[in-house]
C-alpha cells in the first residue's frame, strides 16, 4: 500500500507547553483516518506539522514522501486543508473567496467547485462576516475539496454542520476515498465520525493512546449484560470472572459490563438459573470516554 502520511517519533513543544510527543502513525492511500482527542490534546498541532506550518523538534514527518517543512510547496498543491478556525476576508463574499482560491490553484475547470457549493447550499453572495458558523464552514469545505486534492486534511470538519449537511459531508468523503484519495480528519467525538473512518488514532495530552480500526475498538468495548432471577440468588461467582465487572446488584437482577468473550460468563450464569438475560451492544462512547479520562484502555496496537 502506498503510504501518504508517515509520522515517526514526531515531537514538538512550545517552550514549557506540551505540544505533541513521540507520535507514530501512517496513513495509506484511499483511507479515512480519524484523529480524535479532547480540547488541547494536540490535534491541530499535528495537522500544522503535517502541513509544514510548524517545524518538528524531533522525529520525522513525510507527506507524499516529502518533508513538509522544507518542501511545503510540493505538498500543498496535492492537499486540501480545512483549518479548525479559518480566517476569511469579512467583507468579501463566498464567491470572491472561491474565485481567488481557484486562481491561486490555477484551476480552470470550475464545475466541481460549483457542484460542491450547490450541494452544501453555500451562500455565496453575501459578505462572509454576515454568515453563521455553519455557513462559513460550508465555504471552507468547498475551498478544501474543489481542486480534488489527493489528500484532504480537515480539522473538525463537521463542527457547526447540521445533521443533513453532516450526511452530505459523509457522502462527499466516501466519494473521495472511492476515487483512491485520502482523508485525514480530526474530531472530538468518535460518535460523529465512526461511520466514516476506517481507522482512528486517539491523542491525549500530546500522546497517542491508541491507533486501531473502529471495528476492533467496537469489539473490545464493553457490552452490558443483565441477568434476572425469580428468587434470591447468590451472584458471588460472577465476581471472579475475568473481563466481567459487576456494575449493579439487587431487585432480582444483576448488571454486568463484559469486555471480552461472553462464553465464560454464560457458563457461570447458566448455573445461577436466571429467568432472563438481556445484552446491550458495545458502548463505544463509554470506551472512548475512558480513553479521554485516563488515557488508558489499551496499548497502541496497529500503527500501520
Ligand atoms: N503556537 C502555539 N504556541 C503555544 N502553544 C501552542 C501553540 N500551538 C499549540 N500549542 C499548545 O499545544 C497544545 C495542543 O494544542 P492543539 O491546538 O493542538 O489542541 P487540539 O487538540 O487541536 O485542541 P482543540 O480540540 O481545542 O482544537 C496546547 O497545550 C496548546 O496550548
Ligand atoms: Mg484544534
Amino acid at each position: 500500500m502506498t503510504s501518504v502520511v508517515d509520522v515517526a517519533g514526531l515531537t514538538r513543544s512550545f517552550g514549557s507547553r506540551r505540544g505533541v510527543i513521540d507520535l507514530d502513525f501512517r496513513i495509506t492511500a484511499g483511507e479515512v483516518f480519524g484523529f480524535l482527542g479532547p480540547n488541547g490534546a494536540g490535534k491541530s498541532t499535528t495537522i500544522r506539522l503535517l502541513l509544514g506550518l510548524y517545524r518538528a523538534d524531533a522525529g520525522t514527518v513525510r507527506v507524499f514522501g516529502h518533508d513538509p517543512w522544507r518542501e511545503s510547496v510540493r505538498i500543498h498543491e496535492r492537499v486540501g486543508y480545512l483549518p479548525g478556525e479559518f480566517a476569511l476576508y469579512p467583507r468579501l463574499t463566498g464567491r470572491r473567496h472561491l474565485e481567488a482560491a481557484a486562481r491561486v490553484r490555477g484551476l480552470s475547470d470550475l464545475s466541481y467547485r460549483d457542484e460542491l457549493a450547490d450541494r452544501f447550499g453555500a451562500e455565496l453572495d453575501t459578505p462572509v462576516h454576515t454568515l453563521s458558523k455553519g455557513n462559513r464552514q460550508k465555504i471552507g469545505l468547498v475551498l478544501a475539496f474543489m481542486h480534488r486534492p489527493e489528500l484532504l486534511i480537515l480539522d473538525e470538519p463537521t463542527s457547526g454542520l447540521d445533521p443533513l449537511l453532516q450526511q452530505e459531508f459523509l457522502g462527499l468523503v466516501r466519494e473521495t476515498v472511492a476515487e483512491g484519495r485520502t482523508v485525514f480528519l480530526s474530531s472530538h467525538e468518535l460518535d460523529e465520525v465512526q461511520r466514516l473512518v476506517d481507522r482512528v488514532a486517539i491523542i491525549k495530552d500530546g500522546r497517542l493512546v491508541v491507533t486501531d480500526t473502529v471495528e476492533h475498538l467496537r469489539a473490545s468495548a464493553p457490552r452490558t449484560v443483565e441477568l434476572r432471577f425469580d428468587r434470591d440468588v447468590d451472584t458471588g461467582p460472577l465476581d471472579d470472572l475475568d473481563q466481567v465487572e459487576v456494575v449493579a446488584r439487587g431487585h432480582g437482577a444483576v448488571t454486568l459490563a463484559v469486555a471480552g468473550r461472553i462464553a465464560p460468563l454464560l457458563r457461570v450464569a447458566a448455573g445461577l438459573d436466571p429467568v432472563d438475560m438481556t445484552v446491550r451492544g458495545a458502548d463505544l462512547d463509554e470506551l472512548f470516554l475512558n480513553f479521554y479520562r485516563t488515557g488508558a484502555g489499551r496499548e497502541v496496537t496497529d500503527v500501520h
Side-chain angles (χ1 to χ4, degrees):
M1 287 288 233
T2 327
S3 138
V4 174
V5 174
D6 247 312
V7 167
L10 180 60
T11 301
R12 166 72 204 237
S13 56
F14 301 93
S16 62
R17 293 182 78 99
R18 169 188 50 69
V20 295
I21 306 154
D22 203 19
L23 303 185
D24 285 293
F25 63 90
R26 193 175 150 211
I27 307 174
T28 52
E31 180 172 36
V32 187
F33 189 80
F35 201 58
L36 305 173
N39 290 127
K43 300 181 298 297
S44 300
T45 301
T46 306
I47 286 175
R48 291 186 191 121
L49 286 158
L50 292 180
L51 292 161
L53 301 172
Y54 287 163
R55 184 177 194 170
D57 293 334
T60 53
V61 201
R62 291 288 178 274
V63 178
F64 299 117
H66 299 296
D67 174 353
W69 181 254
R70 288 186 299 131
E71 304 171 283
S72 72
V73 176
R74 306 197 52 184
I75 292 169
H76 280 267
E77 59 194 21
R78 299 167 71 180
V79 169
Y81 172 43
L82 175 74
E85 284 140 37
F86 58 95
L88 295 168
Y89 297 97
R91 290 179 191 284
L92 296 188
T93 63
R95 195 175 301 283
R96 289 287 301 279
H97 282 87
L98 297 185
E99 280 164 6
R103 258 198 315 277
V104 169
R105 294 218 174 259
L107 202 65
S108 49
D109 179 3
L110 301 177
S111 56
Y112 189 55
R113 181 196 71 178
D114 295 340
E115 180 195 320
L116 289 172
D118 220 40
R119 252 174 104 166
F120 281 109
E123 265 183 56
L124 294 183
D125 293 312
T126 47
V128 291
H129 74 91
T130 65
L131 295 179
S132 69
K133 178 175 161 53
N135 281 322
R136 272 199 303 271
Q137 189 77 346
K138 294 176 193 174
I139 292 172
L141 282 167
V142 179
L143 286 168
F145 278 85
M146 67 183 202
H147 53 299
R148 291 185 187 273
E150 286 164 75
L151 171 64
L152 285 129
I153 297 184
L154 310 171
D155 200 352
E156 298 183 36
T158 50
S159 77
L161 297 185
D162 65 39
L164 268 180
L165 284 163
Q166 293 206 14
Q167 204 64 32
E168 198 61 54
F169 172 74
L170 201 119
L172 180 60
V173 169
R174 292 219 171 107
E175 289 161 27
T176 303
V177 291
E179 292 170 10
R181 300 188 282 139
T182 309
V183 180
F184 175 105
L185 60 90
S186 82
S187 174
H188 293 126
E189 280 190 66
L190 182 55
D191 210 33
E192 219 172 70
V193 298
Q194 60 166 305
R195 285 184 299 152
L196 196 61
V197 300
D198 302 309
R199 283 192 309 144
V200 294
I202 297 175
I203 185 169
K204 163 116 198 306
D205 298 337
R207 292 179 189 274
L208 287 187
V209 291
V210 68
T211 310
D212 210 340
T213 62
V214 175
E215 249 167 86
H216 278 156
L217 284 181
R218 190 174 282 120
S220 62
R223 284 91 71 205
T224 305
V225 175
E226 191 180 71
L227 299 167
R228 304 200 76 82
F229 305 96
D230 55 2
R231 63 199 194 291
D232 269 347
V233 173
D234 172 16
T235 55
L238 298 171
D239 290 324
D240 303 330
L241 287 165
D242 263 0
Q243 298 194 289
V244 174
E245 190 194 336
V246 177
V247 180
R249 285 194 152 97
H251 304 297
V254 57
T255 308
L256 310 149
V258 183
R261 293 171 70 83
I262 199 157
L265 167 64
L266 291 180
R267 281 194 283 272
V268 174
L272 304 177
D273 196 25
V275 289
D276 196 11
M277 180 180 89
T278 54
V279 181
R280 197 150 37 79
D283 195 342
L284 218 49
D285 279 352
E286 191 46 42
L287 181 83
F288 194 57
L289 281 177
N290 240 3
F291 280 124
Y292 273 27
R293 279 191 207 108
T294 64
R298 292 187 317 144
E299 291 299 299
V300 174
T301 50
D302 163 30
V303 289
H304 295 295

